[in-house]
Amino acid sequence: MKACIMLAAGFSSRMGAWKMLLPWRKKTVLDSALRNALGFCDRVILVTGYRAEELHQRYAGWPAVQLCYNANYPSGMFSSVRCGAAALSGEHFFVVPGDMPAIDARIYARLWQHRGSRCLLPRYAGRNGHPVLLPGTMATHIMAAPESSTLRTLMQDFGCASLPVDSPAIHWDLDTPEQYQQRLGNAC
């Protein structure tokens, strides 16, 4: 089974507005990110926190979306990664922020074709991006790591490889109003 942990628990403080339900094409940012992941993955573990009740109501009817509430979301992104990892069952899995609505399902498929014993990151124009594909054993490392850990550090310690892809969308997260407007213009 191909699983993806999608992180949607944060405050969106740099954006100045809650970015998960901002308009994106004819949907929302998170709708698009979910549909793209589900274009390849069998299941998405959607980790919620801030305004979780809205996301739980909105996505409760999506059969391939497993909702996972992170009560510890104010402590940062790693707590959400840990929350999602607790719902896994040993297979390779993706991790991606929910504010990346332009990642095509082909990126997930390309990473999956090259999965192995190391963490795998897509690379475009000399920079790594998202989603990341992790071996199933990484879930155990995530759960055992101190709360002060970061996924990046754990991945580096575990071992990483990069895979060239042909899409700048692997870098297109939406942290500020300027990024949102720029990315929205690129998506049309």
Side-chain angles (χ1 to χ4, degrees):
M1 177 176 281
K2 299 179 291 284
C4 177
I5 298 172
M6 187 167 291
L7 308 173
F11 293 107
S12 304
S13 54
R14 289 178 284 175
M15 179 64 77
W18 191 42
K19 56 189 169 184
M20 292 301 140
L21 296 184
L22 285 174
W24 185 265
R25 296 184 181 166
K26 294 181 180 179
K27 300 175 187 89
T28 68
V29 167
L30 188 54
D31 288 346
S32 297
L34 282 166
R35 288 188 193 284
N36 289 340
L38 290 170
F40 179 75
C41 298
D42 302 305
R43 140 179 109 120
V44 171
I45 301 161
L46 181 61
V47 182
T48 65
Y50 178 67
R51 295 176 68 169
E53 58 286 339
E54 292 173 62
L55 297 182
H56 285 248
Q57 287 176 0
R58 184 176 185 93
Y59 299 110
W62 290 40
V65 174
Q66 178 181 344
L67 295 158
C68 182
Y69 175 67
N70 176 16
N72 198 25
Y73 72 92
S75 70
M77 190 180 293
F78 188 70
S79 69
S80 291
V81 172
R82 178 179 271 161
C83 181
L88 294 169
S89 58
E91 65 274 357
H92 278 76
F93 62 99
F94 295 97
V95 178
V96 67
D99 68 343
M100 298 190 77
I103 297 172
D104 189 276
R106 291 174 294 189
I107 300 296
Y108 290 92
R110 180 156 166 71
L111 289 166
W112 190 261
Q113 289 171 341
H114 295 274
R115 68 191 179 278
S117 61
R118 297 190 297 169
C119 303
L120 189 58
L121 298 95
R123 189 168 186 81
Y124 178 81
R127 291 179 31 232
N128 291 331
H130 292 283
V132 297
L133 178 60
L134 307 178
T137 54
M138 272 295 290
T140 304
H141 292 280
I142 290 167
M143 298 307 294
E147 287 186 26
S148 60
S149 300
T150 66
L151 183 57
R152 179 179 297 196
T153 301
L154 287 177
M155 288 170 52
Q156 289 169 347
D157 291 346
F158 193 86
C160 293
S162 296
L163 180 68
V165 298
D166 62 357
S167 174
I170 68 165
H171 301 143
W172 291 359
D173 60 342
L174 308 173
D175 289 332
T176 66
E178 296 77 23
Q179 285 176 335
Y180 172 64
Q181 290 302 320
Q182 179 185 16
R183 304 305 186 226
L184 197 56
N186 290 343
C188 297

